[in-house]
Amino acid sequence: MSDKAESAITPGSTAASGLWVIKLGGSLARSRHLTRWLQAIAQEGAGRAIIVPGGGRFADEVRNAQRLWRFDDAVAHRMALMAMQQFGLMLCGLNAGLASAQSVVEMHAALRYGKAVVWLPLQMTDAAGDIPMNWDVTSDSLAAWLASRVNARSLALVKFCRPNQFAPEIGEGAAVQALSEAGIVDPAFPAFMPAGVVLHLFAADQHAQLGGCMNAAESLP
């Protein structure tokens, strides 16, 4: 049995086919909308949502240090994963309805307990052999990678920018490629986006739309 098969949350398990992976951009750390997103996810995503934290200012410091000291991308990649861990721990500290998890087993347990989950990525990504260790892969691609690992039905990206030129729900490969070319997602994202997972794009101030979107997706066959 493959690692992916062993680790996946299957459609018959707690999260079932309604599982959402929600990437919160690190730039939200400077936004008044951050706590509103956390409240929306804790309430609407209880038992069915996994947050992937961005790196934000923590990752910015990694980029700054790499420019100064010229260490290689593999080192910077792992430091950036630690930046995501830091932001993830911060998110859990801001809302008691969130539980951190480092493995799919921990995610499963927290979802069964009725929590929304914040993924701390270092443990799982350290064990993965299919993630390039460079800046082409950011938390966008890691969110898509996780969506595949846990058999998520939907992937939501919450961005500080307002992507007016794109529909809130994006399912076709051409549209996903356009997001990458526009710089809204990272260059590796189209390759990581799993087939069959519905991609939703939210601007920072669209937290009030999450519940309706999740419930509408739940009603689909």
Side-chain angles (χ1 to χ4, degrees):
M1 182 180 292
S2 70
D3 290 343
K4 180 175 178 178
E6 289 177 333
S7 64
I9 295 176
T10 63
S13 66
T14 303
S17 59
L19 181 65
W20 280 60
V21 170
I22 303 173
K23 184 260 175 144
L24 288 183
S27 57
L28 287 171
R30 304 187 295 272
S31 171
R32 68 183 187 280
H33 297 295
L34 176 61
T35 54
R36 298 169 188 172
W37 270 106
L38 297 181
Q39 183 59 35
I41 295 170
Q43 179 176 333
E44 303 293 346
R48 57 174 176 164
I50 301 169
I51 296 172
V52 174
R57 288 186 174 181
F58 303 109
D60 290 342
E61 287 305 310
V62 176
R63 293 178 187 272
N64 292 338
Q66 187 183 29
R67 279 193 291 267
L68 177 63
W69 294 106
R70 307 293 183 181
F71 48 81
D72 64 32
D73 279 351
V75 171
H77 177 82
R78 198 160 193 276
M79 292 172 69
L81 291 171
M82 293 178 182
M84 292 173 63
Q85 298 254 133
Q86 288 180 295
F87 188 42
L89 291 171
M90 173 181 152
L91 299 182
C92 290
L94 291 173
N95 192 300
L98 305 175
S100 64
Q102 299 187 73
S103 67
V104 175
V105 171
E106 291 180 2
M107 292 178 205
H108 184 86
L111 291 168
R112 286 182 62 87
Y113 194 67
K115 294 280 191 176
V117 174
V118 177
W119 181 43
L120 304 182
L122 193 59
Q123 178 177 309
M124 287 179 64
T125 55
D126 269 356
D130 57 345
I131 301 174
M133 300 179 69
N134 57 53
W135 287 109
D136 283 348
V137 176
T138 70
S139 53
D140 294 333
S141 285
L142 293 176
W145 179 86
L146 183 67
S148 177
R149 300 286 290 194
V150 301
N151 292 333
R153 182 171 192 169
S154 298
L155 169 62
L157 304 179
V158 182
K159 297 282 188 174
F160 196 71
C161 63
R162 177 176 292 281
N164 290 323
Q165 65 269 47
F166 299 104
E169 184 176 300
I170 301 163
E172 298 181 359
V176 171
Q177 184 63 41
L179 289 176
S180 179
E181 292 172 359
I184 293 176
V185 297
D186 65 53
F189 183 82
F192 277 96
M193 182 63 195
V197 174
V198 179
L199 177 62
H200 303 263
L201 202 62
F202 293 91
D205 61 353
Q206 292 179 318
H207 40 82
Q209 298 181 22
L210 179 66
C213 195
M214 294 185 80
N215 292 332
E218 190 74 19
S219 67
L220 295 175

